[in-house]
Amino acid sequence: MNDITLSVAQKALEAAIKKAEELGTKMDIAVVDAGANLKAFVRMDGAWLGSIDIAIRKARTARFFDMETGEIGKLSQPGGPLYHIEHSNGGLITFPGGIPIRNSQGEVIGGIGVSGSTVENDHAVALAGVEAIRSLL
């Protein structure tokens, strides 16, 4: 599989929603394909409108650089090797909540981005989405 399918993307959303509910949060959750194009999206009832764009940008950022957004954030601090990278590509998000999605061969086939709570919760919800589909890839 070189690209995430709609069916798999929807399963990631379902798992992420379940985790958000367990945490008592309302999230915006985006899944992008291998080309960083939006594949699936959900805005939980009551989730912040402002987090829609952030979730999509986290998913795209994770795919653009094939690394977790929190890791990019560490590298983009003042004096870091990626300082100001968030200004590239039409605007990136460089704090936790975006994770690349890899197939069983380790190839990146998409990304998931979550926004709507603390960055720790955002990351936990994104990770739940990725872990739920791992066996399908």
Side-chain angles (χ1 to χ4, degrees), residues 62-115:
R63 174 56 189 111
F64 281 160
F65 297 97
D66 299 341
M67 62 187 341
E68 294 184 10
T69 54
E71 293 304 310
I72 296 170
K74 292 174 187 174
L75 298 170
S76 65
Q77 296 302 307
L82 299 180
Y83 185 54
H84 284 303
I85 194 170
E86 66 275 9
H87 301 292
S88 71
N89 295 286
L92 304 174
I93 300 294
T94 59
F95 45 88
I99 302 175
I101 298 171
R102 298 179 188 277
N103 65 17
S104 59
Q105 291 79 41
E107 301 165 320
V108 178
I109 60 168
I112 187 169
V114 177
S115 183

Side-chain angles (χ1 to χ4, degrees), residues 1-5 8 102-105 107-109 136-137:
M1 176 187 303
N2 294 336
D3 203 351
I4 192 165
T5 65
V8 171
R102 298 179 188 277
N103 65 17
S104 59
Q105 291 79 41
E107 301 165 320
V108 178
I109 60 168
L136 304 174
L137 306 174

Side-chain angles (χ1 to χ4, degrees), residues 35-72:
N37 301 295
L38 188 62
K39 187 73 169 194
F41 177 83
V42 66
R43 177 176 169 257
M44 295 175 68
D45 293 340
W48 293 327
L49 293 173
S51 289
I52 294 170
D53 182 61
I54 295 169
I56 294 169
R57 287 179 188 266
K58 283 182 182 183
R60 292 178 73 224
T61 300
R63 174 56 189 111
F64 281 160
F65 297 97
D66 299 341
M67 62 187 341
E68 294 184 10
T69 54
E71 293 304 310
I72 296 170

